[in-house]
Amino acid sequence: MRFRFGDPGELAAPSQDRLTVGDPRVVDFLSRFARRLLAPAIARRHPELGSLGYFLRPAELTRAAARLERPDALVFPRGNIFHLPPANVDTIFVYSWALSALAGNHNVVRISSRSAGAAETVLETLNATLRDADPVIGRTQRMVTYGRDDATTAALSAWCDLRVIWGGDEAVNSIRRHPLRPSARDLTFPDRTSWAALSVPGWRAADPAARRAAAAGFANDSYWFDQAACSSPRAVFLVGGDPAGVAEEFLALLGEVVAERGWSVDAAMAVEKRINAYGLAAAGAVTSMAFPENAVTSLSLAGVGSAPRRWIGAGAFPFATVATLEDLVPAMNRQDQTFSHFGFAPAELKAFALALGGRGVDRIVPFGSALTFSAIWDGFDLPREFTRLTTLDA
C-alpha cells in the first residue's frame, strides 16, 4: 500500500484523535485547500478543480455543517469510512471524502493507480496544505494507492463503519464480496445513465446569447470527462413543436464552443465512436448519423426507446423527438441519474418530476450543471449518511 496523503503508519483509532461534526480543524484545512485549488495557475490547468474549490469554500462548509444539526437528536460522526472512487472521474473522491471529513469521520480513500491529471494535482495540493495543518488531519485522513490486493481491501472493509463504492455494477459487486462487520453498511453509486432535454419552443424563443450559453453549458457537461461521467448526457431529447433545424443549430454552436476551448477527440476515440454508432444502426436504433468532425457526432434515433444507456464515445449525441416531457416517463428507470434541460418553464419540469414519482431520475438541472456536485447525490443526503444519531429523552 502506498500512502499518497497523510502520515504513514497505522491508522489512528477514534480514541486517539477524536473529531467532531463540523470540527474547526477540518473546516480550516478544507478552506485552505479550497483557496489553493482556486489559484489561477491550477484553475487554468484544470477548470474542473475550480468547481471543487468553490464547493469547499468556507461559506459552503458552514452551511453543510449547519444542515447536520438536528433538534430531535445529537449528531455524531459515523466512524471509519472506506471510499472506493472510480478512475474515470478523477475528482469525485474529493467531494465525498470532504463531506465525510466535515462530519468528523476517519477516512481512507483508495485512489486508482490509473488516476492522473487532475487527481495528481489534487493530491499535490492536499499534501501542500497538510504541511501547515493540525497534525490530527494527517492521522485521520488517508489517500492510498494499492494494486489488486484482496487482502488489503478485505482488511479495510472489516475496519470501516461505512463503505462508499463508486463505479460500474461489476465493480460494486466485486467489492461487496468482501464482508463488512455486522453493524456496518455500504453506500453504493453503481452504473447510472443521464439525459438531456431541449425545449424546441424554448430554443426558438431564446436570444442568440442564451442559445450560445446553453451550448457552452452543455459542452461542460459532456466534454470534461470525455462524456464518461455518470451525469454526462447519453442522448438529447427535442421536446415539443417542429424540431426542424434545431438540432443542427445547437450542434453548430456546440462545435464552435468545443473548437474555441481547444477540446479534441483523438483518432482512436473517433474510430470507437464510429464502431459503436454503426452497431446501433445495425440494431435498428439509429436511422441516420453525421460525422462532420471528430469532436462532435450526431445520430438520429428511431425513437425514445432506442436511446443508448451505454457510453458510445466522447462527443457522440443521439437525438430523439417527443411531444412533451411526460412522453419520456415510460423510458425512465432507477438507473437514470441526471436530467439536464434548457428552455422549459419550472412548472413543466415539476410536472415531469411528479409524473416520474421517484421511479427514475434523481437530479433535474439546467445545462451546465450536470457535473456540479451537490451534497444530495443519487438521491442520498450525503452529510446525513456520514453521521449517526443519538436520541436523548431526559
Side-chain angles (χ1 to χ4, degrees), residues 14 18-23 65 68-70 72-81 99-106 161-162 382-392:
R18 192 177 300 278
L19 298 173
T20 59
V21 174
D23 196 295
L68 293 172
E69 297 177 1
R70 292 281 296 263
D72 57 342
L74 302 175
V75 185
F76 298 101
R78 182 165 290 277
N80 299 329
I81 315 296
L99 289 172
S100 180
L102 184 64
N105 294 298
H106 292 217
D161 298 292
L162 178 68
L382 292 182
R384 294 201 181 279
E385 295 289 334
F386 292 136
T387 58
R388 59 182 303 112
L389 305 177
T390 297
T391 57
L392 175 63

Side-chain angles (χ1 to χ4, degrees), residues 2-18:
R2 183 161 67 98
F3 287 88
R4 305 179 70 174
F5 168 69
D7 297 334
E10 294 298 320
L11 292 168
S15 60
Q16 293 175 286
D17 286 299
R18 192 177 300 278

Side-chain angles (χ1 to χ4, degrees), residues 313-383:
F317 305 108
F319 284 82
T321 302
V322 294
T324 69
L325 284 174
E326 283 80 356
D327 292 334
L328 296 172
V329 171
M332 302 290 107
N333 63 38
R334 285 302 306 137
Q335 184 181 335
D336 298 322
Q337 187 213 60
T338 299
F339 190 90
S340 56
H341 60 83
F342 175 79
F344 297 95
E348 293 178 275
L349 298 170
K350 184 175 181 179
F352 174 57
L354 291 173
L356 287 167
R359 295 184 300 276
V361 180
D362 296 317
R363 305 171 64 231
I364 300 175
V365 300
F367 281 7
S369 296
L371 298 179
T372 301
F373 195 85
S374 168
I376 298 176
W377 194 258
D378 280 15
F380 296 109
D381 187 334
L382 292 182

